[in-house]
Amino acid sequence: MSTYISYFSRRSLAPRLATSTTVCAICRRSFSSSSLLRSGHNRWSKIRHKKTAADAKKNAQNTNFSKNLTLYSKLFGPDPRLNSQLATVIAAAKKAGMPKANIDIAIARGQGKSSSGAGLESLTVEVMMPSSVAVVVEVETEKKLRALQDLRGIVRKCGGTVTPVAFMFTRLGRTILKGKDDAEFDDIMMQALEAGAEDVEQDENGDIVLLTQPNATHQVAQSISEALSAEILESDIIWSPADRVKLDDATSALSISSLLTALRNESDVQAIYANVERGAVSEEVWEAIEDNLDM
C-alpha cells in the first residue's frame, strides 16, 4: 500500500507543479484577506482615535462649564434670575448638550451641597507618579471614605502611589479677570494691590491674573471686578508648584495622562494640580495632560 501511494503522488503532482494556472484579478482578490483585514483595522483605529479625541474635548468643555457654574453660584448666589453671569453659563452649557442633572450638581456645589441638598466634605488626595511628578487632587463628596477608596484604586491602576506631596506646592488665591482694551495695566495693578492682591500679571490672552492670600481670594475678586466692570473668568485657591519637573519619558507621560483622564471622569473631583511641564514628549500627549490640569 505504501509503495502505491508514493508512486501515485509522484505521477499526479508533477504535472500540476509544471502547469501554469491563470487566475483572473477578481478571483485573485477574493483569495487574499490580509490586506482587507489590515484596511478594516486601520479604519477602525482612525474612528476610535477620532472618537477618543472628541470625547476628551467634550469632557474638557463640560469640566469648564462645571467650574464656572460652581464659581458663579458661590460668588453671586444659585438663582439665575438674580445672577446674570450664572444664567449666561447655564444657557451656554445647555446649548452644548451638558445634562441638566450635571448643571444642577455644579450649581449646588457652589453652595457646598450635593444635588440632594446634603452637605459636602472636602478631601485632598496627594499622589506621586513616575518621573517624580507630584499630583494634588481636590475632592468634594458626600461619602468621604468611598471616594478615597475609589481614587486610591485609580492611582494604583495607573502606576502611582498615594503619599504626601503637598509640601512641594504653595497655596495661593488666583483670580482671572477678562481683559479690557481701554484699561491701562498699570492702573489695574495699582487698584488690585490696594484691594489686597499680592501680585498682578497679564496673560497671553490679555486677561488680568490676580494672586492673593487664600483667605482673601473671593473678596479681592469681587472688589476688582466691580471696580473695573470686568468679568470674573476664574477664582480659585490653587496649589502652585515650587518647582516643575520636565516630562521627557513617553511611558511616564502616558501613565500620567491615563491617571488625569480617569480622575476627570470622577464627578467628585473638583481640581487637579501637578508640578509638571512639557519636556521631550509629543505635542499630542502633552495636550492630553494639560487639558486635564488646573494650571
Side-chain angles (χ1 to χ4, degrees):
M1 179 65 69
S2 60
T3 304
Y4 171 76
I5 291 174
S6 175
Y7 174 76
F8 177 80
S9 300
R10 284 195 298 271
R11 291 189 61 185
S12 61
L13 290 178
R16 292 185 184 182
L17 293 172
T19 302
S20 176
T21 304
T22 302
V23 181
C24 72
I26 295 175
C27 295
R28 194 161 55 240
R29 285 183 61 189
S30 67
F31 293 155
S32 176
S33 61
S34 59
S35 61
L36 292 175
L37 288 172
R38 285 195 298 270
S39 175
H41 174 72
N42 290 341
R43 183 169 178 271
W44 166 241
S45 296
K46 290 177 182 177
I47 292 173
R48 184 172 58 182
H49 180 74
K50 288 180 180 179
K51 185 179 184 303
T52 301
D55 289 346
K57 185 176 180 181
K58 190 172 183 64
N59 287 340
Q61 182 184 53
N62 286 343
T63 297
N64 190 53
F65 281 136
S66 292
K67 287 180 62 178
N68 287 335
L69 290 165
T70 299
L71 170 63
Y72 294 138
S73 172
K74 183 184 296 182
L75 291 179
F76 308 117
D79 189 346
R81 294 170 299 181
L82 305 175
N83 185 343
S84 61
Q85 289 177 291
L86 181 62
T88 299
V89 179
I90 290 174
K94 286 181 176 178
K95 186 175 180 180
M98 186 175 183
K100 184 179 183 303
N102 292 358
I103 294 174
D104 292 339
I105 289 172
I107 293 173
R109 283 188 183 280
Q111 302 299 304
K113 300 177 182 179
S114 69
S115 57
S116 64
L120 296 174
E121 293 184 276
S122 296
L123 172 67
T124 301
V125 179
E126 304 170 41
V127 180
M128 181 61 75
M129 290 295 290
S131 297
S132 300
V133 173
V135 180
V136 176
V137 186
E138 290 195 333
V139 180
E140 287 183 351
T141 181
E142 290 182 73
K143 299 178 180 179
K144 198 170 184 178
L145 292 178
R146 184 212 63 193
L148 183 57
Q149 182 179 2
D150 291 346
L151 295 177
R152 283 181 182 273
I154 291 172
V155 171
R156 186 166 53 250
K157 184 177 179 181
C158 295
T161 305
V162 176
T163 188
V165 297
F167 64 91
M168 303 169 73
F169 297 79
T170 302
R171 290 287 266 165
L172 289 173
R174 181 184 64 187
T175 296
I176 302 179
L177 302 176
K178 190 172 182 62
K180 298 176 71 68
D181 295 335
D182 58 347
E184 291 290 335
F185 177 73
D186 288 345
D187 294 338
I188 294 173
M189 182 173 65
M190 291 304 298
Q191 291 186 60
L193 294 174
E194 289 175 4
E198 296 198 344
D199 196 7
V200 186
E201 302 171 356
Q202 193 166 26
D203 65 17
E204 63 273 13
N205 299 318
D207 298 326
I208 307 302
V209 181
L210 310 176
L211 299 177
T212 66
Q213 287 296 318
N215 59 2
T217 305
H218 298 314
Q219 179 182 347
V220 172
Q222 290 180 340
S223 175
I224 300 302
S225 174
E226 292 173 3
L228 300 175
S229 298
E231 178 186 355
I232 299 175
L233 300 178
E234 293 182 27
S235 185
D236 301 294
I237 299 172
I238 66 170
W239 293 86
S240 178
D243 295 295
R244 293 188 181 272
V245 176
K246 281 197 172 184
L247 192 55
D248 295 318
D249 183 67
T251 302
S252 298
L254 289 174
S255 296
I256 294 166
S257 179
S258 297
L259 172 70
L260 300 181
T261 300
L263 291 174
R264 279 298 179 198
N265 288 331
E266 293 293 311
S267 59
D268 291 338
V269 171
Q270 301 305 298
I272 308 172
Y273 303 93
N275 66 337
V276 65
E277 64 182 13
R278 184 183 175 188
V281 297
S282 69
E283 183 177 354
E284 182 180 6
V285 171
W286 175 247
E287 284 181 356
I289 293 173
E290 191 175 36
D291 287 345
N292 285 308
L293 286 175
D294 296 89
M295 303 292 282

